[in-house]
Amino acid sequence: MPETPPQLLPPPAEVLGVRRIRLAEVPAPRLTAEERRARDDAWAQMVLANPALFDGPVVACSGTSWPRPGELHVAWSRVTYRHYALRRVTASAAPTASLSVSVLQPTEDGRLLVGRMSTATAAPGRWQPAGGAVEPPPDGERLDLAALRRNAVRELAEETGVSAGPGELALWAVTRGRYGSVGVLFLAPPLPEAALRERFAALAPPERELVELAFVRSPADLPGLPGPHADYLAPLVRRFAREREREREREREQR
């Protein structure tokens, strides 16, 4: 009897330093009629399991390259959310990587805000920073770093109630995860925990994408968050804690 091949596990998510991002639009992946039927069937099953799913316009990541250290080039295309149902179609080789933005919102004492997604989202119960899928720009407008910042500002306000100007968000890193998906991470100015909880509580409950907040200092805090975690959450918190410690060391040396 032939041996059953071992199950292939997805590679662990990475958090990579970046100083510059360039984006270029390319045509959406061309699908065969069979792929479109299989995609639509898979999407129908996903909606049946989670009626809150919405087939809205999103930006897909069609490819990446690093021409120089710290410089990321992203090829992107316009799709709708059902495109990601192709991840369930094993016979399809079409790229299904996504492009998202997230905001690292620290507290004044060096912890990071993370939130638990509601059951009405595409990732029910998952813990992650405030953020979401990038929406394509209107026709005639560019998708660039400034547009990504605007997406991030909107996600932060919608999910936490925190208002920040685009100029207050610093490009911090990118994540590379399952399916080759890319997440652009921005760092917001620190705020007191009490202020963050107050702004979150002021959001209308029916409109919340996050249903619970937590504040973590290191990966050791993550096992205390019940339920699934974003695949990049642990390496993100690890990198943030490491950089925070370096900042404290520099401060001690300057005294």
Side-chain angles (χ1 to χ4, degrees), residues 11-95:
E14 300 176 284
V15 179
L16 307 170
V18 64
R19 296 187 300 273
R20 186 178 183 186
I21 297 177
R22 305 182 80 173
L23 301 109
E25 185 173 6
V26 297
R30 296 183 64 179
L31 305 180
T32 65
E34 183 178 354
E35 285 177 316
R36 289 195 297 271
R37 284 194 298 271
R39 177 204 61 191
D40 292 346
D41 288 345
W43 174 251
Q45 294 174 9
M46 291 169 63
V47 173
L48 190 63
N50 184 356
L53 291 179
F54 172 63
D55 191 25
V58 291
V59 167
C61 177
S62 299
T64 59
S65 63
W66 294 82
R68 284 171 289 278
E71 181 173 330
L72 172 63
H73 289 193
V74 178
W76 66 274
S77 55
R78 299 170 189 262
V79 298
T80 64
Y81 198 84
R82 77 171 57 213
H83 176 75
Y84 300 128
L86 283 168
R87 294 170 178 173
R88 301 187 176 198
V89 180
T90 56
S92 174

Side-chain angles (χ1 to χ4, degrees), residues 101-170:
V101 291
S102 295
V103 180
L104 280 64
Q105 176 60 68
T107 60
E108 291 181 330
D109 64 356
R111 290 171 295 154
L112 276 180
L113 179 154
V114 293
R116 192 174 191 178
M117 300 291 284
S118 81
T119 56
T121 65
R126 188 173 72 185
W127 290 92
Q128 61 183 55
V134 174
E135 296 181 5
D139 290 340
E141 295 187 15
R142 294 179 58 194
L143 181 64
D144 54 14
L145 185 58
L148 295 182
R149 274 199 176 90
R150 291 193 294 271
N151 271 259
V153 164
R154 185 184 64 250
E155 293 289 346
L156 182 65
E158 289 177 353
E159 296 188 358
T160 70
V162 174
S163 298
E168 296 180 273
L169 300 186

Side-chain angles (χ1 to χ4, degrees), residues 130-214:
V134 174
E135 296 181 5
D139 290 340
E141 295 187 15
R142 294 179 58 194
L143 181 64
D144 54 14
L145 185 58
L148 295 182
R149 274 199 176 90
R150 291 193 294 271
N151 271 259
V153 164
R154 185 184 64 250
E155 293 289 346
L156 182 65
E158 289 177 353
E159 296 188 358
T160 70
V162 174
S163 298
E168 296 180 273
L169 300 186
L171 178 62
W172 187 76
V174 296
T175 62
R176 183 167 58 193
R178 197 175 183 187
Y179 309 110
S181 295
V182 171
V184 181
L185 304 178
F186 294 96
L187 181 64
L191 291 170
E193 178 186 343
L196 293 170
R197 291 195 179 278
E198 181 180 350
R199 295 178 192 186
F200 179 70
L203 292 174
E207 299 174 4
R208 289 183 184 170
E209 290 188 31
L210 301 181
V211 294
E212 182 180 355
L213 297 185

